[in-house]
Amino acid sequence: MSSALAVSHGGFGRAAIYAHDRPMITHAHREGHLIFRISGAPATVKVGSVSVDCDGTMAAAVSPWEPHSFSFQEDAPCVTLVLYIKPMWFLENSGSADYALNFGTCRVPLSGDLPSLVRKLTALMLEDSGDINVETILIELAKRCYEVSWKDRQRPCSAIHRRRFSDFRVRRSQELMKSYLSCHNGLDALAQEVGLSRPHFFKLFKKQTGVTPNIYFNTLRAEQAIEDLTASRKSVTDIAYDLGFASQASFTRFFSQNVGIAPSDYRRTAQTISHRDLAT
């Protein structure tokens, strides 16, 4: 079973160090996502149709809502540092990006000071010292990766980066999904509720959001599960039932496939760090 060695939450989003021995299915996050291989066998992150070999010389960069999956060689586990960066926080603290946090490429070569920043952030998280401001190193690492991803590439203007859900039926379906977390009746019923056939609904939703309705809904459930695990005292079983799962086992399988580790392990390892203003 994959496990967490360290997890931190803060105003920036999330940062985690995972020891992987199982792959992850195609999923998405509303945050910008960076994946670094720390030790063990190389890992492969498939971002859309592009495969990124995370072997210590290359990191994977995943833009918000970009579908991706994670795999590695059989019987050859690896340890990764993964960052989930809130776009607005990044904009407020970096001064070099638009609010969408779209990366120029999903392949980020680890050259210059990047390997040192990765090692430093990993060490600080494993030390578990409350006196260390993880955000200071994290913002520098994220900013450098963003800059490298756009090296020798023309950045589109912010307006092009922004996704606009212009169709009211897509917007309505997103609102309904939020209210369906505990009583999901299936996407066929959701399509009917917004006045579309299932094929038309799937096509329109993916065209406007970049992900399928399944992935979008699973992202909402994973986010709510993480919130419940870190900010409430509800049991894992109660969280599972509140999110519409038939059993704790099915919830654990879902969480492991979409987040990377079992929910009980995530709760045990997670720590909430207070937000501190970064030095200017």
Side-chain angles (χ1 to χ4, degrees), residues 182-228:
S182 61
C183 54
H184 184 39
N185 295 320
L187 294 176
D188 288 351
L190 179 61
Q192 291 180 359
E193 195 160 350
V194 297
L196 295 171
S197 66
R198 188 179 191 279
H200 189 186
F201 172 59
F202 269 66
K203 182 177 180 180
L204 181 64
F205 194 97
K206 185 172 183 180
K207 179 180 179 181
Q208 295 217 344
T209 68
V211 296
T212 65
N214 308 70
I215 290 179
Y216 188 90
F217 184 69
N218 285 342
T219 300
L220 295 183
R221 289 211 286 183
E223 288 177 345
Q224 186 60 54
I226 289 172
E227 175 69 19
D228 289 342

Side-chain angles (χ1 to χ4, degrees), residues 13-117:
R14 291 186 289 141
I17 299 174
Y18 290 145
H20 298 274
D21 65 5
R22 295 186 182 184
M24 296 176 65
I25 64 173
T26 300
H27 59 288
H29 313 282
R30 69 175 69 241
E31 303 93 350
H33 190 27
L34 288 166
I35 305 167
F36 309 90
R37 196 274 280 173
I38 303 301
S39 64
T44 299
V45 180
K46 189 169 184 181
V47 185
S49 60
V50 179
S51 293
V52 183
D53 292 326
C54 296
D55 57 2
T57 66
M58 188 77 65
V62 186
S63 298
W65 292 113
E66 195 166 22
H68 58 286
S69 61
F70 178 91
S71 62
F72 48 88
Q73 300 173 13
E74 188 175 357
D75 299 324
C78 66
V79 176
T80 61
L81 168 67
V82 292
L83 310 182
Y84 308 84
I85 307 159
K86 293 180 179 179
M88 285 305 300
W89 177 88
F90 186 67
L91 172 63
E92 292 167 357
N93 290 283
S94 72
S96 66
D98 72 287
Y99 94 105
L101 187 52
N102 284 334
F103 294 99
T105 177
C106 56
R107 292 191 177 102
V108 178
L110 295 177
S111 58
D113 60 347
L114 284 178
S116 174
L117 290 170

Side-chain angles (χ1 to χ4, degrees), residues 139-157:
I139 186 60
E140 184 62 25
L141 175 58
K143 182 179 177 180
R144 289 284 295 112
C145 286
Y146 183 86
E147 292 170 348
V148 170
S149 79
W150 283 106
K151 185 179 180 181
D152 301 324
R153 292 176 175 82
Q154 180 66 41
R155 301 186 193 184
C157 66

